[in-house]
Amino acid sequence: GESVGLHLPTLSVQEGDNSIINCAYSNSASDYFIWYKQESGKGPQFIIDIRSNMDKRQGQRVTVLLNKTVKHLSLQIAATQPGDSAVYFCAERETSGSRLTFGEGTQLTVNP
Amino acid sequence: GAVVSQHPSRVICKSGTSVKIECRSLDFQATTMFWYRQFPKKSLMLMATSNEGSKATYEQGVEKDKFLINHASLTLSTLTVTSAHPEDSSFYICSAIPHRGGSLNYEQYFGPGTRLTVT
């Protein structure tokens, strides 16, 4: 399953499928991008990050892709599990500072 | 390592009263902490940047006299919501950046959040 831009804030997938969550950013000065997972009633949890000099970075079951040309970021989750159900946020940070700007988030629901 | 705690986790207060929320870095020192506000099904909105030993930097539109921030030590920042009103009800989240040696690691570690309900 795949979320499309910021106009589809929910994504529902079957357990075992791959999930793709998309994020558009607007600040050309951003050089560092992070994906966070937030479960209900909890703070954001770091998943994976990528710097602007990279196009792709892989973690355990997760991959982040960065397309600077169109200012697009995506998070791919392989073999999605019920425990992956949460809201996923992308965040960007400018070269010169430490402030993070968060995207709108996507609610991922994994059906067993 | 890099654990951030918040206290209380939930608080209910009456309209017109003030409430203080604490943010602590448990196993590292943090010269910079951030305070965010999050409404239901919405994203995190940065309210202010808290620097140890100096005044906080507030984002545009955030009332500094209403949301008092004190960063008195390298492990503690507090947010006080003064004269709270029902519209201040929200989920408040802090984060901290570790200060390691002579260089800064800009990675933010988030607290678990505080649910404020103003009646």
Side-chain angles (χ1 to χ4, degrees), chain A residues 36 38 41-44 46 89 93 97-100 102-104, chain B residues 34 36 38 42-44 46 59 91 93 97 106 108 110-112:
Chain A
Y36 289 96
Q38 187 180 30
K42 297 183 179 180
F46 174 91
F89 293 99
R93 192 191 71 200
S98 56
R99 295 167 68 251
L100 290 178
F102 281 79
E104 291 303 311
Chain B
F34 299 89
Y36 296 84
Q38 186 178 31
K42 295 293 184 182
S43 188
L44 281 74
L46 180 64
E59 295 297 304
F91 194 51
I93 304 171
I97 296 178
Y106 288 113
Q108 291 188 29
F110 285 84

Side-chain angles (χ1 to χ4, degrees), chain B residues 66-87:
Chain B
K66 179 167 186 62
F67 298 100
L68 300 180
I69 291 172
N70 185 291
H71 194 155
S73 78
L74 288 172
T75 59
L76 173 64
S77 176
T78 61
L79 168 67
T80 301
V81 183
T82 62
S83 187
H85 292 285
E87 57 265 30

Side-chain angles (χ1 to χ4, degrees), chain B residues 23-41:
Chain B
C23 176
R24 293 183 185 272
S25 55
L26 298 185
D27 50 4
F28 64 94
Q29 294 185 330
T31 52
T32 302
M33 291 183 172
F34 299 89
W35 285 97
Y36 296 84
R37 182 175 183 177
Q38 186 178 31
F39 290 108
K41 299 190 183 301

Side-chain angles (χ1 to χ4, degrees), chain A residues 56-98:
Chain A
K56 179 180 180 179
R57 188 158 189 239
Q58 287 185 294
Q60 191 174 17
R61 280 202 309 119
V62 294
T63 301
V64 55
L65 298 178
L66 175 62
N67 186 329
K68 295 181 290 293
T69 303
V70 295
K71 297 190 184 68
H72 183 268
L73 194 67
S74 69
L75 175 70
Q76 300 178 1
I77 304 174
T80 316
Q81 303 168 0
D84 295 327
S85 294
V87 178
Y88 289 81
F89 293 99
C90 66
E92 60 183 298
R93 192 191 71 200
E94 288 186 23
T95 307
S96 59
S98 56

